[in-house]
Every structure is written in C-alpha cells, then in structure tokens.
C-alpha cells in the first residue's frame, strides 16, 4: 500500500473486489461524485440481473463509505482542473465527472487511485496512483 488514505476513482471502486489489496490505500475513501455515478448505473440498463448488480454495488457503497463532499474548496480546485485540461488540449466536458473527482482529491490533498490513469491526463495538481486493471494487467 503506497498511501494510508486515498480516494478510489469510480472504476476502481467497481473493480475493488478483483484488485490486489496491496495496490489499494489502507483507508479508501470515495467522493460524492462517485456516489452520483453509481446512482446512475441501475437506471440506465434494461438488463434485470445487471440492474440488480448495479443497485447492490450502489447500496454497498452507501453503507460502507461516507463520501467526501464536493464543497467550496473542491469547487475552487475544479477551476484549476478545468484550466489545466484546456491547456492540455482536452475538453473539460468530455471528462466532467473525472474532473470533479480530481478536484475533490486536490481539495483534500489526497492521492487518487484509478485503473484508468489516462482519464486524468492533463490535470495538474492531482496525485494519480495507477492500479493494474484486473482484465489487462495495466
């Protein structure tokens, strides 16, 4: 474990049961943005077993975590995130939820653990900890 406390990106939280424990923070946290992303999942599939799995994942996250809020400090950090994305030639809207999660990590001075580190390319000020994806190893 590289850090004692760290934020799990949404994809990492979804995959957490398939990840190596030693790649994760000792004290994992999530953001309110991740909880919002998980809340969409059950509503956007017509596949009943998948809907049930997504609902169970949402309920487990709600039971286990007290999400970090997107507060005034995160809103100020988001301004820096959006500006750095623009400087990198990336559109903020294309990765809006990732940008909000990154802003929350920056505002709380916490590293962000993710299986998709490229989602955070071009965002300055966020400490990204890449986690090997269980399906690809990268």
């Amino acid at each position: 474990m590289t850090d004692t406390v760290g934020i799990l990106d949404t994809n990492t939280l979804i995959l957490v049961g398939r990840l190596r424990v030693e790649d994760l923070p000792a004290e994992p946290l999530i953001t309110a943005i991740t909880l919002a992303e998980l809340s969409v999942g059950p509503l956007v599939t017509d596949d009943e077993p998948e809907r049930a799995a997504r609902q169970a994942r949402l309920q487990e996250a709600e039971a286990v975590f007290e999400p970090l809020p997107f507060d005034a400090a995160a809103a100020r950090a988001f301004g820096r995130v959006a500006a750095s994305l623009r400087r990198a030639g990336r559109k903020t809207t294309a990765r809006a939820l990732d940008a909000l999660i990154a802003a929350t990590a920056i505002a709380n001075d916490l590293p962000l653990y993710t299986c998709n580190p490229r989602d955070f390319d071009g965002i300055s000020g966020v400490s990204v900890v890449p986690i090997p994806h269980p399906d690809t190893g990268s």
Side-chain angles (χ1 to χ4, degrees):
M1 290 179 238
T2 55
D3 289 289
T4 303
V5 181
I7 294 174
L8 302 181
D9 184 26
T10 306
N11 68 351
T12 307
L13 179 62
I14 290 169
L15 295 168
V16 77
R18 298 175 53 207
L19 301 174
R20 298 179 330 162
V21 172
E22 59 268 21
D23 290 333
L24 300 170
E27 185 180 337
L29 303 173
I30 66 169
T31 69
I33 306 306
T34 289
L35 200 55
E37 282 190 276
L38 292 177
S39 296
V40 173
L43 303 174
V44 296
T45 183
D46 293 328
D47 181 287
E48 288 300 323
E50 180 62 21
R51 179 180 291 126
R54 290 177 182 188
Q55 185 65 38
R57 186 178 304 121
L58 169 61
Q59 289 172 325
E60 182 176 5
E62 289 173 332
V64 171
F65 295 98
E66 182 63 39
L68 293 170
F70 188 81
D71 57 12
R76 286 189 297 277
F78 179 76
R80 295 190 306 273
V81 167
S84 67
L85 283 170
R86 287 183 186 171
R87 282 191 297 274
R90 297 185 76 195
K91 293 183 179 180
T92 306
T93 54
R95 305 279 352 149
L97 297 176
D98 291 331
L100 293 168
I101 290 169
T104 305
I106 292 167
N108 288 279
D109 196 26
L110 292 170
L112 179 59
Y113 288 72
T114 182
C115 293
N116 294 330
R118 286 188 306 242
D119 290 350
F120 301 93
D121 284 352
I123 299 176
S124 60
V126 65
S127 173
V128 174
V129 180
I131 301 291
H133 195 288
D135 296 334
T136 63
S138 60

